[in-house]
């Protein structure tokens, strides 16, 4: 039995917000074609057909949708996808996921998401002030209250969701405020996404995360999180879950956590396929899903070249006690998390604090009746 995951961009880089730190707006601007528009029906049909070629009865498939803003493709697009999946002959267990800014979500969307058991990633930047600073509409107005209304709809419809919080350098100073917000809003699952500089940046942006701030944020967060665990309250923080899975269960649940690139199968709206969401660039195009199967795309020379490409490892990494567990980490995250110009590694600092606490964390999780996801 195998589990295949693909990441689909049904509306390419189209978006109804103008987030100042959007990495995909930057990535798409570096291509010959910035946006491929909305995925056409014929591409959608061939995509599902060719994905299923490599599947067998009993396999699992995750179809995740991202953007830009994927809901711009329209609810009928998603209805068509689920209909096409239902029409396939092979007995495959399908999981659906979508990452959204929440602006277009209404009760019709919620009914659909609930019916098809979508796992939703909802973007909220952890605090009204910082959310509205960067996550603005085309008129420059903040969107916090609109997104919070969507969260309330998800609660009402009992939709499974987690909050995706972009961890900017300024927000990383506010771990207490962020954690208080999570408690206040009864958010049980959160993932902090390091805010990255542009791929072609000549100088660092003020909002791009640094290893120093990364370490400082997780230092505070770990203390707050463990205090809540000790009080019998559990909040799933994705990085902590990934570390527990890695060190306790020997399971890799985060791409790049061991320093090795894995193929993500990112499918753009025109059917072009890329190995990583951070590198949806012309030079990394593996082929087209309407012309080839996933296995055939995996065997392309451009795919192998991407997977074999290794970033330069800092001298600090060679003497690091966690070197074999990290191997330099994700190459796209290196300036946000790992070794900075002064030789400080934010990830090493986190592991030095986290590792000695693992047994205590496991004990608290067990006493709370919770398991790391």
């Amino acid at each position: 039995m195998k589990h295949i995951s693909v990441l689909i961009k049904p509306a390419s880089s189209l978006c109804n917000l103008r987030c100042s730190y959007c990495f995909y707006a930057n990535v798409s601007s570096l291509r010959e074609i910035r946006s491929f528009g909305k995925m056409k029906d014929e591409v959608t049909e061939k995509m599902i057909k060719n994905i299923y070629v490599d599947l067998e009865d009993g396999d699992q498939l995750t179809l995740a949708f991202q953007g830009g803003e994927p809901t711009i493709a329209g609810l009928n697009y998603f209805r068509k996808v689920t209909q096409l999946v239902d029409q396939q002959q092979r007995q495959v267990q399908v999981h659906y996921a979508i990452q959204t800014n929440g602006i277009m979500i209404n009760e019709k969307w919620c009914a659909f998401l609930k019916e098809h058991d979508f796992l939703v990633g909802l973007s909220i930047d952890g605090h009204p002030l910082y959310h509205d600073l960067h996550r603005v509409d085309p008129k420059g107005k903040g969107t916090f209250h609109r997104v919070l209304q969507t969260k309330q709809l998800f609660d009402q419809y009992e939709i499974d969701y987690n909050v995706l919080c972009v961890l900017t350098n300024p927000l990383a100073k506010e771990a207490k405020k962020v954690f208080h917000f999570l408690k206040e809003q009864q958010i049980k699952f959160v993932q902090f996404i390091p805010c990255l500089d542009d791929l072609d940046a000549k100088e660092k942006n003020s909002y791009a995360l640094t290893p120093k701030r990364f370490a400082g944020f997780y230092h505070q967060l770990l203390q707050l999180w463990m205090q809540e665990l000790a009080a019998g309250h559990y909040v799933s923080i994705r990085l902590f879950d990934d570390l527990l899975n890695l060190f306790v269960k020997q399971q890799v649940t985060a791409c790049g956590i061991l320093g090795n690139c894995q193929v993500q199968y990112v499918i753009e709206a025109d059917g072009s396929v890329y190995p990583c969401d951070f590198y949806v660039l012309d030079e990394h195009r593996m082929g087209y899903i309407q012309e080839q199967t996933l296995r055939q795309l995996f065997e392309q020379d451009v795919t192998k070249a991407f997977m074999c490409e290794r970033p330069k490892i800092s001298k600090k990494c060679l003497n690091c006690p966690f070197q074999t567990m990290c191997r330099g980490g994700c190459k796209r995250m290196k300036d946000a998390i790992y070794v900075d110009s002064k030789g400080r590694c934010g990830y090493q600092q986190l592991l030095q604090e986290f590792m000695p606490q693992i047994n205590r964390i496991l004990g608290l999780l067990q006493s709370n009746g919770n398991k790391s996801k």
Side-chain angles (χ1 to χ4, degrees):
M1 183 186 78
K2 57 184 176 290
H3 189 167
I4 291 178
S5 298
V6 296
L7 181 62
I8 302 164
K9 294 182 177 290
S12 192
S13 61
L14 298 175
C15 191
N16 47 8
L17 295 189
R18 299 295 181 268
C19 303
S20 55
Y21 51 51
C22 179
F23 83 88
Y24 203 67
N26 169 243
V27 169
S28 61
S29 74
L30 302 176
R31 299 190 304 232
E32 185 177 344
I33 299 175
R34 181 187 288 261
S35 174
F36 299 105
K38 297 179 184 180
M39 185 176 283
K40 296 179 180 177
D41 285 352
E42 54 265 32
V43 175
T44 306
E45 291 166 6
K46 290 179 180 177
M47 174 182 71
I48 297 300
K49 180 181 177 181
N50 277 351
I51 287 173
Y52 265 78
V53 168
D54 296 320
L55 295 172
E56 299 172 354
D57 288 347
D59 287 344
Q60 295 189 54
L61 170 66
T62 294
L63 298 176
F65 300 88
Q66 199 170 311
E69 173 51 39
T71 59
I72 288 178
L75 188 50
N76 284 338
Y77 168 84
F78 289 91
R79 288 188 175 122
K80 182 174 183 62
V81 168
T82 55
Q83 288 168 2
L84 288 168
V85 167
D86 291 342
Q87 291 168 8
Q88 301 305 308
Q89 297 301 310
R90 291 189 175 92
Q91 301 301 308
V92 172
Q93 185 178 359
V94 179
H95 310 277
Y96 295 107
I98 185 170
Q99 181 174 338
T100 178
N101 58 36
I103 299 299
M104 295 180 68
I105 300 295
N106 55 24
E107 295 205 18
K108 285 185 178 180
W109 271 100
C110 286
F112 172 83
L113 296 171
K114 182 64 178 177
E115 178 186 356
H116 295 280
D117 199 24
F118 268 72
L119 173 62
V120 182
L122 180 63
S123 295
I124 308 178
D125 277 356
H127 187 274
L129 174 66
Y130 291 93
H131 182 104
D132 284 346
L133 186 63
H134 296 291
R135 304 192 65 81
V136 297
D137 65 19
K139 295 182 179 179
K141 293 183 179 180
T143 58
F144 177 80
H145 290 293
R146 276 185 278 174
V147 178
L148 206 61
Q149 288 172 357
T150 295
K151 177 208 170 289
Q152 291 162 358
L153 268 179
F154 288 162
D155 289 333
Q156 178 185 331
Y157 276 81
E158 298 182 338
I159 290 170
D160 289 332
Y161 70 93
N162 56 62
V163 164
L164 302 173
C165 174
V166 177
L167 188 60
T168 62
N169 219 39
L171 184 61
K173 295 189 297 183
E174 307 289 357
K176 288 184 179 179
K177 287 183 180 179
V178 172
F179 199 72
H180 176 75
F181 171 78
L182 296 175
K183 288 174 58 182
E184 180 184 66
Q185 292 297 324
Q186 298 181 323
I187 292 167
K188 299 299 183 184
F189 299 90
V190 63
Q191 178 178 356
F192 295 101
I193 303 172
C195 184
L196 304 176
D197 235 334
D198 290 346
L199 269 173
D200 57 342
K202 298 295 188 291
E203 56 185 42
K204 202 168 186 68
N205 285 311
S206 61
Y207 49 74
L209 188 64
T210 62
K212 180 180 179 180
R213 288 278 175 85
F214 169 85
F217 177 79
Y218 275 102
H219 167 74
Q220 292 186 66
L221 193 66
L222 181 60
Q223 312 310 314
L224 295 165
W225 183 67
M226 291 188 66
Q227 288 172 17
E228 286 300 300
L229 277 181
H233 305 140
Y234 174 66
V235 177
S236 169
I237 295 174
R238 177 63 187 270
L239 181 54
F240 294 163
D241 290 348
D242 288 334
L243 292 176
L244 290 173
N245 286 330
L246 182 64
F247 297 127
V248 178
K249 301 177 182 177
Q250 284 76 54
Q251 294 176 355
V252 177
T253 53
C255 183
I257 199 169
L258 294 180
N260 298 322
C261 286
Q262 300 171 333
V263 174
Q264 291 183 315
Y265 297 114
V266 182
I267 304 177
E268 256 286 4
D270 67 334
S272 53
V273 185
Y274 307 82
C276 174
D277 197 28
F278 292 135
Y279 296 96
V280 184
L281 301 166
D282 296 335
E283 59 266 33
H284 294 300
R285 186 186 299 117
M286 300 154 62
Y288 291 85
I289 192 63
Q290 60 266 49
E291 298 172 0
Q292 295 171 292
T293 68
L294 294 178
R295 182 173 295 174
Q296 290 170 336
L297 290 163
F298 183 82
E299 292 170 351
Q300 299 301 306
D301 289 342
V302 67
T303 312
K304 296 173 183 176
F306 180 84
M307 292 179 67
C308 292
E309 183 183 314
R310 293 284 188 272
K312 265 191 175 182
I313 292 183
S314 165
K315 290 181 181 178
K316 183 179 179 69
C317 296
L318 300 176
N319 300 316
C320 177
F322 308 111
Q323 197 269 339
T324 57
M325 308 172 190
C326 167
R327 301 187 187 95
C330 170
K331 62 185 177 184
R332 184 65 177 95
M333 298 279 187
K334 60 185 178 66
D335 295 330
I337 293 178
Y338 303 103
V339 184
D340 64 16
S341 59
K342 295 182 180 179
R344 178 194 294 110
C345 178
Y347 191 59
Q348 183 192 70
Q349 286 182 244
L350 169 61
L351 293 183
Q352 285 172 338
E353 290 192 56
F354 190 86
M355 294 290 285
Q357 300 284 356
I358 283 181
N359 286 335
R360 183 171 176 235
I361 291 169
L362 292 175
L364 290 171
L365 287 170
Q366 187 174 13
S367 67
N368 288 341
N370 290 301
K371 293 183 179 179
S372 171
K373 284 200 170 186

